[in-house]
Amino acid sequence: MTEESEEIILSELSTEELVEQMHDDLYDGLKEEIEEGTAILLDRDWSADRVLNEALVKGMRIVGIDFRDGILFVPEVLLSANAMKGGMAILKPLLAKSGVKPIGKMVIGTVKGDIHDIGKNLVVMMMEGAGFEVIDIGINQSVEDFFAALEQHRPDILGMSALLTTTMPYMKVVIDEMIASGIRDDYIVLVGGAPLNEEFGVAVGADAYCRDAAQTAEIAPQLIMERREAVASA
Ligand code: B1M
């Protein structure tokens, strides 16, 4: 952090300047500043959704580009991720409406070999906000881990996340094992993550590919409703 940036008083910035400053602070991995900026934007009547997308996710995109281009390295990106999580922790209770009867249950995890969890955590928040009960089993999850969670929690939906081209094929390993065990049709399987696309979702045998957290929270209730209607009319 430069001396100059130490002198910046976030609450005195205009909203536009504050959002730009938050992008810089995310880049520099400044968790406390991100938490403060998040609180200020909420105070200025920004919705939690808007803070998430315009201040945090947009800032993280810049981090991603510089990580890809070799300008930022793993330790710096970890600091950015940590700062992002600080902001997300403030937004979480606002995104998750309390007291709503769950409309369904989802088990979600990041697949084996993959430790990225920011996107998955956003999906968890948005799904909770949409009225789902979500059991987040974390990162680096094997077939056995997913199966144990399905057995224990009996969700409507299994969600899997992967951020690496090397780990995304593991989703098919899980789904193939579900088919082999005769449990595939007991669950709606949703997959997501930056390197995936519709075609990949179809190829691995998922019920749907989810582009982002908001779309996941839209698709999930639709698929649950279709499924319940199909069961009722069977
Ligand atoms: Co990683 N990393 N990383 N990384 N990292 C990427 C993914 C990469 C694209 C960067 C790059 O080169 N541009 C690249 C992958 C390249 C590839 O596979 N083609 C990469 C690499 C190479 C690596 C390492 C191999 C680097 C190394 O060690 N040499 C290593 C791998 C570690 C491992 O997993 N085994 C690694 C490590 C890390 C950190 C630990 C430093 C850190 C992760 C910290 C953490 O997650 N706690 C990290 C980060 C932060 C990133 C970037 C910069 C940001 C990812 C992120 O959080 N995005 C990323 C570059 C990028 O994507 N821009 C990169 C923000 C998030 C909100 O978006 O995750 O896409 P996203 O989630 C979205 C959607 O995809 C969707 O909804 C989310 C919210 O809207 N979604 C789902 C995601 N999961 C879903 C599940 C669903 C539904 C929707 O289920 C139903």
Side-chain angles (χ1 to χ4, degrees):
M1 187 166 61
T2 62
E3 265 178 50
E4 201 185 324
S5 68
E6 267 179 279
E7 286 159 14
I8 293 171
I9 298 170
L10 295 180
S11 59
E12 290 179 356
L13 298 179
S14 72
T15 299
E16 198 182 324
E17 287 167 342
L18 175 60
V19 170
E20 290 218 346
Q21 185 60 42
M22 285 175 73
H23 293 170
D24 288 349
D25 289 346
L26 205 52
Y27 194 94
D28 293 335
L30 304 177
K31 188 177 180 203
E32 277 178 27
E33 283 77 355
I34 288 298
E35 288 168 342
E36 192 187 338
T38 300
I40 295 171
L41 286 176
L42 290 171
D43 263 359
R44 292 185 188 174
D45 285 336
W46 271 39
S47 67
D49 236 37
R50 189 168 177 205
V51 180
L52 180 64
N53 290 317
E54 293 183 30
L56 302 183
V57 172
K58 220 169 177 181
M60 206 59 195
R61 210 170 289 144
I62 305 164
V63 172
I65 291 166
D66 280 3
F67 186 34
R68 180 196 61 205
D69 296 344
I71 298 164
L72 287 179
F73 296 96
V74 172
E76 289 125 322
V77 177
L78 270 178
L79 283 177
S80 299
N82 191 41
M84 170 117 181
K85 283 182 180 178
M88 280 164 58
I90 295 172
L91 299 177
K92 184 172 177 173
L94 302 171
L95 291 167
K97 295 175 208 126
S98 58
V100 181
K101 189 177 176 289
I103 55 173
K105 207 194 257 193
M106 175 168 84
V107 160
I108 188 168
T110 302
V111 298
K112 191 173 167 184
D114 201 320
I115 62 166
H116 294 86
D117 68 355
I118 295 177
K120 168 185 66 59
N121 296 346
L122 273 177
V123 172
V124 172
M125 283 187 207
M126 294 295 271
M127 287 292 281
E128 287 176 345
F132 278 83
E133 180 187 348
V134 183
I135 298 106
D136 178 2
I137 59 171
I139 54 171
N140 194 22
Q141 296 295 306
S142 65
V143 171
E144 293 73 25
D145 297 327
F146 281 114
F147 271 47
L150 293 179
E151 176 72 25
Q152 185 187 348
H153 301 288
R154 303 259 166 218
D156 304 283
I157 299 174
L158 169 64
M160 288 188 279
S161 177
L163 263 286
L164 299 171
T165 45
T166 49
T167 57
M168 58 192 230
Y170 196 77
M171 292 173 165
K172 183 158 166 35
V173 176
V174 177
I175 295 174
D176 283 352
E177 201 53 45
M178 290 173 80
I179 295 169
S181 309
I183 62 164
R184 170 63 186 88
D185 292 339
D186 297 344
Y187 304 97
I188 294 165
V189 180
L190 302 181
V191 294
L196 281 60
N197 56 30
E198 295 274 357
E199 209 182 352
F200 176 83
V202 173
V204 297
D207 291 290
Y209 153 71
C210 305
R211 189 185 59 239
D212 55 32
Q215 200 202 33
T216 310
E218 270 170 35
I219 291 176
Q222 281 168 21
L223 291 179
I224 286 201
M225 209 184 303
E226 282 170 22
R227 194 182 166 85
R228 287 180 183 161
E229 277 169 12
V231 170
S233 64

